Amino acid sequence: MNEQSKLYQKLVIASLATSLTLTIASASAYAEVSTGSKSQATAPSVNVLELVPVRTVAEALGAFIEWDEKTGAAKVTKGSTVLILKIGEKNATLNGKTIDVGQIVQIVNGNMYVPLGFINQTFASHIGWNNTQNKMIIAADDYAALASSFLKELNQNNMDDAVTYFGSGLKQKLPPELLKKIWLGPQYFGHLKQQISAQVDRNAVHTNVTLKYATEKVPGPVEIIIRFDKNGLIDDFYIPPILPSVTFNKPSYDNPANYEEKEVVIGDGEFALPGTLTMPIGEGSFPVVVLVQGAGPNDRDATLGAAKPFQDLAVGLANEKIAVLRYEKVTREHNLKVALNPKFTIKNETVDDAIRAVEFLKGVKGINPEKIFVAGHSQGGYTIPMIINEDKNHDIAGTIILAGPSEKFSDAIVNQSEELLKRLKSLGKPTDAAEQSMVMWSSIAKYVNDSEYSIYNLPKEFPIPQQAYWFFEQRNYTPAEVAKKQKGSMLILQGENDWQVPMAQFENWKKSLQNRQDVTYKTYPKVTHLLTEYDGVSTGADYYQPSNVPLVIINDIANWIKNVRK
């Protein structure tokens, strides 16, 4: 017997001994997953010597199975693990090496069976099996297995079984028939094939499982994030866009000795958000900046490509004894639930959470409640006048607009498209995609500016139907015009190499607010929309080169904050 077989035998014996001590109470720590005919529930079995159907169990764990009729062999692949099983043999091949299965591989009613303990050892899982009910049992804290099993049901179009993984709130909003309509995996990337990896992490709101799969239609891996609530049930799931894999480099000014970071929760209830509070080291009553993200389902670091501008700002300002609060955007942490709200607004998306963040900070030890600032980037900057209007208690000491549009949103996106097209042409780059985008955004602007339509009469032909209400609800909002009537210290920063919010938007801020004496303006020649520097002409491709927020921006923000008097 080889060393691996001896180890396997020891694991089986140890696991069997443990299984004999299980009580009915401990069985409640497992979730039963239907994988066959249903019968009356009994105490679940976790006998590692139990023979279990390979396809049923392996697919639920995210493995991909290929059957060779000629040789009677099954190839089971999950990530870097490749297992080959043959009918009638007691040995198998695992990653090119021969191992002992423990029992002869059997075929029963057309299904291949092997011992449960062998499956658990091979795939590092912790599942059990209820032989009476023909059900797989997954430990309540085995989130990777639960997420994989849920995606197996989606992949096989078993929506009735898929919704059994949902918490009560999501189950009510997303019944099987609606889940079938919104699950567009087969349309966009085809069926899920083998699982490449599964990573579990926790924040202050969810336990998150990030699964990567090879698929039919997409050459690279597709990532799917499943979010579990405190009860171990699915609260949301999210498919990030498929983007090039790049590496973020920490800035030279990131000195961990100067700060500590705490996981916090912004708001409460169904849409609570996890966040990070970066506090300078030392005693004191520190000023603090709330960072508000731009458009899209952004994370707390405002990650895009190889840049994390919000993380850079947090560690950079900590050196200046200024705290920073950043948080996951609601459209990322609660992506699915947000998408199910047909009347979701920009206030819901951005403004409400910024106000909740300010309210939270008022009660944090070490924070000066008289020195709470709000900095909005891109769409976050666009909403700064909205945030000021919602600050009913006048808790905000000052605001910062970082590359924020000053015009109506529909007009600003047309301006953005025009600028990108101009830059691509000047560089001799292909413009097909940019021209198509220009047509779409121009069409959106035309609809939004047409008085025939409103939130009560949305155009049926709107290019992005699911976002029609969002666009029309804010169509009369012009940030610079609202800011004209406001007062309070404001800093407006703009990169001159920004195509997403071109300099025309900045000039409009200056023109509109020319009669205000409490606004400071600064521009930076090489700075792009990500608040990082680029020597060439920025078109978005540069976002995938490692870059950081330059110290000059951090110093300008810090000096301005230190000079503000509320």
Side-chain angles (χ1 to χ4, degrees):
M1 182 182 292
N2 60 35
E3 290 302 310
Q4 190 159 5
S5 297
K6 291 178 182 177
L7 176 60
Y8 168 64
Q9 190 176 57
K10 290 179 181 178
L11 288 172
V12 168
I13 294 171
S15 299
L16 181 58
T18 302
S19 72
L20 295 175
T21 65
L22 287 176
T23 64
I24 297 298
S26 66
S28 66
Y30 288 80
E32 291 197 7
V33 180
S34 175
T35 56
S37 59
K38 296 183 179 180
S39 59
Q40 186 176 358
T42 59
S45 168
V46 289
N47 181 359
V48 294
L49 299 180
E50 185 85 58
L51 292 177
V52 296
V54 173
R55 180 175 293 277
T56 296
V57 174
E59 285 185 345
L61 293 174
F64 181 66
I65 301 177
E66 299 169 277
W67 173 252
D68 189 329
E69 187 71 37
K70 292 182 179 179
T71 61
K75 181 181 179 182
V76 186
T77 307
K78 181 182 179 184
S80 59
T81 300
V82 179
L83 173 68
I84 298 176
L85 298 163
K86 288 187 178 181
I87 298 170
E89 295 192 8
K90 191 170 179 287
N91 289 333
T93 303
L94 178 63
N95 297 331
K97 296 181 180 180
T98 301
I99 60 170
D100 185 2
V101 176
Q103 294 188 42
I104 292 175
V105 178
Q106 301 179 26
I107 285 288
V108 179
N109 296 326
N111 294 314
M112 179 180 281
Y113 280 74
V114 297
L116 173 61
F118 176 75
I119 290 288
N120 279 335
Q121 184 207 5
T122 302
F123 296 105
S125 55
H126 308 283
I127 61 170
W129 185 261
N130 186 321
N131 194 44
T132 303
Q133 292 190 311
N134 194 29
K135 288 182 177 180
M136 189 173 77
I137 308 167
I138 303 176
D141 60 352
D142 191 351
Y143 292 101
L146 287 168
S148 300
S149 186
F150 165 68
L151 283 178
K152 184 210 79 168
E153 303 298 354
L154 279 188
N155 202 39
Q156 297 181 356
N157 204 29
N158 299 328
M159 301 307 173
D160 287 333
D161 289 329
V163 299
T164 63
Y165 292 79
F166 291 170
S168 57
L170 186 58
K171 189 179 293 185
Q172 185 176 8
K173 293 179 180 179
L174 193 57
E177 58 273 15
L178 182 55
L179 177 59
K180 186 174 184 178
K181 290 180 180 178
I182 70 166
W183 174 244
L184 300 177
Q187 178 180 334
Y188 288 112
F189 46 73
H191 286 289
L192 303 176
K193 296 175 73 175
Q194 74 181 68
Q195 188 181 108
I196 298 170
S197 64
Q199 179 180 341
V200 180
D201 67 83
R202 292 171 175 81
N203 59 37
V205 173
H206 289 125
T207 296
N208 305 291
V209 182
T210 301
L211 302 168
K212 291 185 179 180
Y213 283 87
T215 65
E216 287 181 324
K217 299 180 181 179
V218 178
V222 168
E223 186 174 289
I224 304 174
I225 301 174
I226 311 296
R227 305 195 190 281
F228 291 87
D229 62 20
K230 303 296 184 184
N231 298 315
L233 298 170
I234 293 176
D235 183 55
D236 212 282
F237 58 90
Y238 168 57
I239 304 176
I242 301 170
L243 299 171
S245 178
V246 290
T247 301
F248 167 73
N249 293 336
K250 289 185 177 182
S252 59
Y253 49 78
D254 184 350
N255 185 354
N258 288 345
Y259 63 87
E260 60 179 350
E261 295 196 319
K262 303 174 182 178
E263 182 80 4
V264 298
V265 178
I266 305 304
D268 53 23
E270 184 180 11
F271 292 99
L273 298 175
T276 300
L277 177 59
T278 305
M279 291 285 287
I281 294 295
E283 297 294 327
S285 185
F286 300 113
V288 63
V289 179
V290 176
L291 297 179
V292 182
Q293 304 102 321
N298 294 300
D299 65 17
R300 68 189 75 187
D301 298 326
T303 303
L304 181 54
K308 294 180 180 288
F310 279 16
Q311 181 174 320
D312 290 350
L313 288 171
V315 300
L317 289 172
N319 295 332
E320 300 296 325
K321 297 296 182 180
I322 298 171
V324 171
L325 174 61
R326 61 197 198 272
Y327 47 86
E328 300 292 307
K329 196 174 174 186
V330 69
T331 49
R332 185 180 185 90
E333 192 69 21
H334 302 282
N335 182 270
L336 180 59
K337 297 197 295 293
V338 163
L340 293 171
N341 179 3
K343 294 186 177 181
F344 188 70
T345 67
I346 196 167
K347 181 176 180 293
N348 304 144
E349 180 183 0
T350 302
V351 178
D352 292 345
D353 293 318
I355 294 298
R356 292 185 186 109
V358 170
E359 185 65 27
F360 165 79
L361 288 167
K362 288 161 59 179
V364 174
K365 182 180 179 181
I367 293 296
N368 183 347
E370 298 297 315
K371 299 282 280 184
I372 299 175
F373 297 84
V374 176
H377 175 240
S378 193
Q379 181 180 292
Y382 166 86
T383 62
I384 284 293
M386 284 188 186
I387 293 170
I388 293 171
N389 280 345
E390 288 297 314
D391 179 28
K392 306 301 184 184
N393 297 322
H394 306 291
D395 295 317
I396 299 173
T399 54
I400 304 168
I401 295 175
L402 304 167
S406 56
E407 300 178 334
K408 290 183 179 181
F409 198 88
S410 55
D411 296 334
I413 55 177
V414 172
N415 181 215
Q416 177 187 103
S417 298
E418 291 172 341
E419 179 67 22
L420 177 59
L421 199 55
K422 181 179 73 174
R423 291 182 177 218
L424 290 173
K425 287 180 178 179
S426 72
L427 295 170
K429 301 289 186 181
T431 60
D432 290 351
E435 288 173 353
Q436 291 173 11
S437 178
M438 178 73 181
V439 170
M440 183 187 73
W441 292 123
S442 297
S443 175
I444 286 175
K446 183 178 179 181
Y447 276 116
V448 172
N449 293 326
D450 189 338
S451 60
E452 177 185 349
Y453 301 109
S454 69
I455 57 173
Y456 307 106
N457 180 34
L458 298 172
K460 295 180 181 179
E461 303 82 9
F462 197 73
I464 313 177
Q466 64 272 29
Q467 292 185 19
Y469 189 92
W470 186 91
F471 274 97
F472 277 90
E473 189 275 337
Q474 60 172 296
R475 75 169 173 187
N476 294 323
Y477 171 68
T478 305
E481 291 302 310
V482 175
K484 271 185 184 180
K485 305 171 186 177
Q486 296 174 331
K487 60 182 180 179
S489 297
M490 178 180 285
L491 174 64
I492 302 179
L493 305 183
Q494 177 68 41
E496 296 175 24
N497 198 10
D498 185 342
W499 63 270
Q500 290 187 251
V501 178
M503 283 296 293
Q505 298 293 327
F506 175 78
E507 295 301 335
N508 187 54
W509 280 116
K510 291 184 70 175
K511 180 181 178 181
S512 299
L513 307 184
Q514 59 184 321
N515 293 327
R516 285 185 56 171
Q517 304 303 310
D518 51 5
V519 183
T520 301
Y521 307 90
K522 286 186 178 291
T523 65
Y524 307 89
K526 296 181 181 181
V527 168
T528 73
H529 191 63
L530 301 190
L531 309 179
T532 63
E533 291 183 322
Y534 180 61
D535 289 330
V537 177
S538 176
T539 60
D542 48 290
Y543 295 172
Y544 296 90
Q545 299 179 18
S547 59
N548 300 103
V549 176
L551 263 176
V552 62
I553 291 180
I554 291 168
N555 290 336
D556 284 345
I557 293 173
N559 291 333
W560 177 81
I561 286 174
K562 292 173 183 178
N563 289 319
V564 168
R565 299 291 180 266
K566 186 175 178 181

